Amino acid sequence: AQKVTQAQTEISVVEKEDVTLDCVYETRDTTYYLFWYKQPPSGELVFLIRRNSFDEQNEISGRYSWNFQKSTSSFNFTITASQVVDSAVYFCALSGYNAGNMLTFGGGTRLMVKP
Amino acid sequence: DAGVIQSPRHEVTEMGQEVTLRCKPISGHNSLFWYRQTMMRGLELLIYFNNNVPIDDSGMPEDRFSAKMPNASFSTLKIQPSEPRDSAVYFCASSTGQGSGNTIYFGEGSWLTVV
């Protein structure tokens, strides 16, 4: 069975603050893939990043960075110098090797960035 | 390039009516997914097609729900008869490949309200 837990249901920050969204996962597969998606107020789901279980290097893309730690089964997402446009619900998701392409989503974290 | 295209974007219908949601996956993608998003249950996978064949429909709630993929560029999700508890956002998504871990791209969703 696969499970993704996003313990933070809602986070509120002031613009320019850094914020980290936590994601903890469970899977019995030794090969698996982790994803983050963004759901802005308009409702669509936007792909942000994909990581496979053999690549533990941290990734940085502009103000976004991701920290993958197999030892703690975590795949956390940090936004540096947050902006109002970052306000959205962010979902972490997992696809185990034996699950084909099927994603298991966490419950999401609603991020509110105030000006 | 066009993303996953869903229609209608919004639908309000009366209980007991038939609802048909439509999806055009990204050209060249051979896996298609239907997800449902509700406040109570989050994002749930309803059904997964690969090369137009249903691979896993274990998430389909009950016999009132049916999904078809008559060709590589079109899929439908039908609810007959609809009930108020079917009110949700229904996302169609697509990806390449049959293996695991491919990135799944989502449409903008169909917002269904059953009154």
Side-chain angles (χ1 to χ4, degrees):
Chain A
Q2 303 182 145
K3 185 178 179 181
V4 177
T5 302
Q6 294 180 253
Q8 306 149 307
T9 55
E10 197 166 293
I11 300 175
S12 181
V13 299
V14 176
E15 205 169 21
K16 297 185 183 177
E17 286 186 9
D18 298 347
V19 58
T20 295
L21 311 181
D22 297 334
C23 172
V24 174
Y25 61 90
E26 296 175 30
T27 180
R28 293 178 184 160
D29 291 332
T30 54
T31 300
Y32 51 89
Y33 303 84
L34 296 161
F35 302 80
W36 277 93
Y37 286 83
K38 174 182 180 180
Q39 187 173 38
S42 50
E44 70 270 28
L45 278 163
V46 179
F47 164 74
L48 294 179
I49 189 171
R50 168 186 178 272
R51 238 19 198 168
N52 75 55
S53 53
F54 297 107
D55 183 0
E56 287 193 71
Q57 280 193 329
N58 292 335
E59 175 125 357
I60 298 174
S61 176
R63 296 183 298 105
Y64 295 172
S65 63
W66 290 269
N67 180 265
F68 174 31
Q69 292 196 340
K70 288 180 77 171
S71 60
T72 56
S73 298
S74 65
F75 186 44
N76 296 338
F77 173 29
T78 297
I79 302 175
T80 303
S82 61
Q83 299 177 2
V84 173
V85 293
D86 296 326
S87 297
V89 181
Y90 291 87
F91 291 94
C92 181
L94 165 71
S95 177
Y97 180 81
N98 291 312
N101 282 321
M102 293 185 290
L103 286 174
T104 298
F105 282 89
T109 297
R110 180 178 299 279
L111 173 65
M112 292 179 292
V113 181
K114 300 177 180 177
Chain B
D1 287 342
V4 176
I5 299 172
Q6 293 186 244
S7 65
R9 288 295 317 280
H10 298 272
E11 175 141 353
V12 180
T13 191
E14 291 185 347
M15 182 174 63
Q17 296 297 305
E18 178 179 292
V19 174
T20 300
L21 308 179
R22 298 172 177 80
C23 176
K24 177 179 169 55
I26 294 172
S27 178
H29 283 191
N30 58 356
S31 293
L32 183 138
F33 308 81
W34 283 99
Y35 279 84
R36 178 172 68 176
Q37 184 178 31
T38 60
M39 290 293 293
M40 292 296 294
R41 300 173 67 92
L43 279 156
E44 307 172 274
L45 175 66
L46 299 178
I47 188 168
Y48 160 39
F49 291 88
N50 186 260
N51 291 325
N52 312 338
V53 176
I55 302 299
D56 189 326
D57 65 355
S58 58
M60 295 287 265
E62 47 197 273
D63 291 346
R64 297 184 298 106
F65 285 70
S66 62
K68 294 183 179 179
M69 191 166 186
N71 58 62
S73 58
F74 184 66
S75 176
T76 59
L77 177 67
K78 188 174 292 186
I79 308 172
Q80 167 62 18
S82 57
E83 296 181 2
R85 60 191 168 120
D86 302 330
S87 298
V89 183
Y90 291 83
F91 286 101
C92 179
S94 70
S95 74
T96 58
Q98 185 176 359
S100 55
N102 297 296
T103 298
I104 297 176
Y105 296 93
F106 286 79
E108 294 184 322
S110 291
W111 299 64
L112 173 65
T113 302
V114 183
V115 298

